[in-house]
Amino acid sequence: MSAILNAIEDRKFWVPVCAAFLAAYLLAAVRFTLYPGYTDHVESLIASVSFLVSQGAPLYPDLAAAQRYSVPYGPMAYLPYALALRTLGASVLSLKLLILFAHLCLLILLWRCYRKLLDPSRALLATAAVCALLLSFLSLFQVRGDVLLLFFVVFGLHAVLRGSGWRSALLLAVACGFSLDIKFTAGFYFLPIYILFAHGRRWLSVLAIIGAGVFALTPFLLPHISLVEYLRWMHVFSREPLVREEVSRELTLLAILCAPLGLLLWQMAQASRKLTRNYLRENRLFLLSLVAGLAAISFAAAKIGAGPHHFIPFFPVIGYACADAYRTLNAIPVSRPELRRWNFLALLWCGLILAVVAKLGLSLLSASSALWRPRSQASAIVADLKSVMSLHPGKHIEMGYGSEASYPVTDFRPVLIFAGNPLTVDEMALDDMQMSGLAIPDATLAYVRACKTEIWLIPRDEAPFQIVNVYSREDPRLFPNWRVFDEHFRRIFLQHYRKTASTKYFDVWECVE
């Protein structure tokens, strides 16, 4: 056993392992970039709304407006993607190139952060350990705000660790302000980072806090992004309930996150209790702020549909805490042979990497894995949609819904949006609205009656708008058989539309008036 542990501690073992793992991480990012479609309903919503925003459509329509695509995300969850669509062209590749660039920057910034505390090889190990946890959340490779939020957190941490003047304060303010515009809870991720920055720089940290507020308000200066409407929507979504099922998943992840730091502190206490007390006293504000942030996010992540991915931005900060504790531990001389310390940085984090890779590898063997979804199927769905548009030039075409059985084909609705078609109802947005007690308004029903969208595409051979709320699908015991569209909506639709044709993937429903 001792020989195995010694082998794992040897740099000749874990440096190649980490290098290979980071290469695999980049290959996964490239694989997602080259996939010509969408693997999740959140992706298609963000992509669609980002394009609409790039064309000047309101990001947060009035609560009673016909358009139902608002969700509890801030404007910076969309604006970087909107910029990519405007500069690189309206395509899924433009969006995913932005994500790939963000991942490349993440790896560089993470290594530079940990290099401030560790030698190059151990900084590589710390980077690989954090990326191991990141890779277990495939949402980071999708068109979402998650990767943007993670990037801003690492960017802010890098600004604090690599500088100390007004420039660092400015960069920290930019990172925190824009993060608040992705998720309003982002301040908890930055709390320990601000504590680090405030050490000896109190006035600059105050300016950085004020600056974060200024940058957070900047997107709302755009004419089509209303702060008032955003706050109204956030008030509506604040009614979503908390569920116990999310708590158990959170506790498991928190145990994984805190184990390396806890073991490093335990080993530090074994080597020198006095130095450990000094270390904890000097870093008490940082550690307490980290605990407070984790506790606050635990509450937010317990809301229905939230989940452990809300802890992702803490990964690099906890990695910093582990690297700092290891540096302190490594500086303590070993006075007695029996107190020989295992290299927990290599031992534990190498084990973490291998465990996560094993878990991820098993998940990828599934035929339903988003990472290995057939490119041919995605290309065929895209071609199908383009064929429908070419056969009905000048007509407004929207994606409708059938049942959850063929739900994935509706993820490709950005193809219609990018061609200039409208977006009136989004199932994901309606899920959250229904959970918050907000019904489909009269304006939406009037829109359907007036046939303002001439053609609706429904998944082939399915009755229109029968889909069940995603929260009801995930836990039928708590929310039994909640249908997103009620009988009144379906009756109005069937009164004004008839199925006129079918393609490989869709039924074409046209207005009969």
Side-chain angles (χ1 to χ4, degrees):
M1 184 64 179
S2 178
I4 295 175
L5 294 176
N6 286 330
I8 293 176
E9 286 186 327
D10 193 336
R11 295 187 187 187
K12 293 180 181 179
F13 170 79
W14 50 263
V15 168
V17 168
C18 292
F21 178 76
L22 290 175
Y25 181 91
L26 288 176
L27 285 175
V30 172
R31 178 66 179 83
F32 268 100
T33 302
L34 297 178
Y35 178 65
Y38 305 88
T39 57
D40 182 84
H41 57 286
V42 180
E43 268 198 298
S44 53
L45 171 63
I46 297 293
S48 299
V49 177
S50 295
F51 178 81
L52 295 176
V53 171
S54 73
Q55 303 300 304
L59 179 53
Y60 305 106
D62 185 89
L63 288 175
Q67 290 73 30
R68 314 310 282 171
Y69 53 70
S70 294
V71 290
Y73 298 147
M76 284 303 294
Y78 306 95
L79 291 178
Y81 294 119
L83 179 62
L85 292 171
R86 286 187 67 89
T87 56
L88 301 178
S91 71
V92 62
L93 181 61
S94 300
L95 301 170
K96 295 188 176 182
L97 285 175
L98 174 63
I99 297 171
L100 179 61
F101 179 72
H103 282 289
L104 290 172
C105 292
L106 274 174
L107 293 181
I108 295 171
L109 291 177
L110 276 173
W111 186 85
R112 284 177 59 85
C113 286
Y114 302 140
R115 181 66 184 90
K116 190 72 175 177
L117 302 170
L118 305 169
D119 61 61
S121 59
R122 288 186 172 84
L124 179 69
L125 178 59
T127 302
V130 171
C131 289
L133 286 172
L134 296 179
L135 190 55
S136 63
F137 291 86
L138 297 184
S139 63
L140 286 172
F141 299 90
Q142 298 173 340
V143 183
R144 290 171 174 250
D146 295 26
V147 66
L148 302 176
L149 181 55
L150 177 64
F151 169 78
F152 284 127
V153 170
V154 176
F155 184 82
L157 179 63
H158 181 268
V160 169
L161 295 178
R162 308 297 294 196
S164 59
W166 64 267
R167 187 173 299 176
S168 294
L170 177 63
L171 294 177
L172 177 58
V174 170
C176 183
F178 287 163
S179 294
L180 290 169
D181 281 335
I182 297 175
K183 290 182 180 178
F184 72 95
T185 56
F188 296 113
Y189 306 129
F190 280 86
L191 182 58
I193 299 177
Y194 268 95
I195 294 297
L196 283 178
F197 186 69
H199 186 69
R201 299 174 291 230
R202 293 186 179 181
W203 286 109
L204 276 177
S205 63
V206 172
L207 292 176
I209 293 173
I210 296 173
V214 173
F215 283 109
L217 292 173
T218 301
F220 297 99
L221 297 177
L222 297 173
H224 54 295
I225 302 179
S226 169
L227 176 60
V228 173
E229 294 300 335
Y230 170 68
L231 294 176
R232 286 177 178 170
W233 279 107
M234 293 307 296
H235 175 69
V236 169
F237 293 128
S238 67
R239 305 170 191 164
E240 292 181 339
L242 304 177
V243 291
R244 295 178 181 177
E245 284 72 12
E246 298 289 358
V247 176
S248 60
R249 294 196 296 163
E250 292 175 22
L251 293 176
T252 302
L253 180 59
L254 283 174
I256 295 173
L257 291 177
C258 297
L261 180 58
L263 289 170
L264 286 168
L265 292 175
W266 172 78
Q267 195 177 28
M268 190 188 299
Q270 293 291 106
S272 174
R273 295 186 181 277
K274 180 180 178 181
L275 289 177
T276 303
R277 285 194 297 270
N278 291 337
Y279 177 82
L280 293 175
R281 183 169 59 252
E282 292 173 2
N283 293 276
R284 64 185 183 280
L285 291 179
F286 170 76
L287 294 174
L288 287 173
S289 65
L290 182 57
V291 171
L294 287 168
I297 293 300
S298 297
F299 179 80
K303 299 192 77 171
I304 182 74
H309 70 276
H310 281 67
F311 292 104
I312 290 175
F314 280 120
F315 295 177
V317 182
I318 294 175
Y320 164 82
C322 290
D324 187 52
Y326 175 81
R327 181 183 62 169
T328 304
L329 173 63
N330 208 40
I332 301 175
V334 179
S335 57
R336 292 178 296 170
E338 63 268 22
L339 292 179
R340 179 186 183 273
R341 297 186 296 269
W342 291 111
N343 185 348
F344 272 109
L345 191 67
L347 187 62
L348 293 178
W349 288 3
C350 243
L352 173 65
I353 290 172
L354 295 175
V356 172
V357 169
K359 175 186 174 183
L360 186 66
L362 290 174
S363 69
L364 294 181
L365 293 176
S366 170
S368 62
S369 171
L371 188 60
W372 302 113
R373 184 174 291 177
R375 290 171 54 87
S376 58
Q377 182 187 34
S379 299
I381 296 173
V382 171
D384 206 16
L385 291 171
K386 290 182 177 180
S387 175
V388 172
M389 289 188 288
S390 66
L391 292 173
H392 302 87
K395 290 189 176 182
H396 289 161
I397 304 173
E398 281 198 63
M399 182 72 71
Y401 300 92
S403 68
E404 59 272 19
S406 60
Y407 184 49
V409 301
T410 65
D411 291 342
F412 288 79
R413 59 189 176 279
V415 176
L416 300 173
I417 308 301
F418 292 170
N421 290 292
L423 174 62
T424 309
V425 291
D426 181 273
E427 186 267 343
M428 177 197 159
L430 289 171
D431 286 341
D432 285 322
M433 294 177 198
Q434 188 179 53
M435 185 63 62
S436 302
L438 190 66
I440 295 176
D442 292 338
T444 305
L445 301 177
Y447 182 95
V448 175
R449 286 194 192 95
C451 287
K452 292 184 179 181
T453 290
E454 291 95 339
I455 295 175
W456 289 85
L457 300 181
I458 307 296
R460 181 165 179 160
D461 299 328
E462 293 193 5
F465 298 102
Q466 294 283 347
I467 192 165
V468 175
N469 190 301
V470 66
Y471 302 119
S472 185
R473 301 199 298 271
E474 290 178 356
D475 197 334
R477 296 170 301 171
L478 287 177
F479 313 105
N481 201 30
W482 278 15
R483 296 196 180 274
V484 178
F485 301 92
D486 60 19
E487 288 296 333
H488 186 45
F489 180 96
R490 291 194 291 272
R491 185 166 55 253
I492 291 174
F493 178 83
L494 293 174
Q495 287 173 350
H496 294 85
Y497 292 88
R498 293 289 183 273
K499 183 170 74 171
T500 59
S502 295
T503 67
K504 183 177 181 180
Y505 292 99
F506 301 98
D507 290 331
V508 178
W509 289 71
E510 293 192 64
C511 180
V512 296
E513 296 181 356

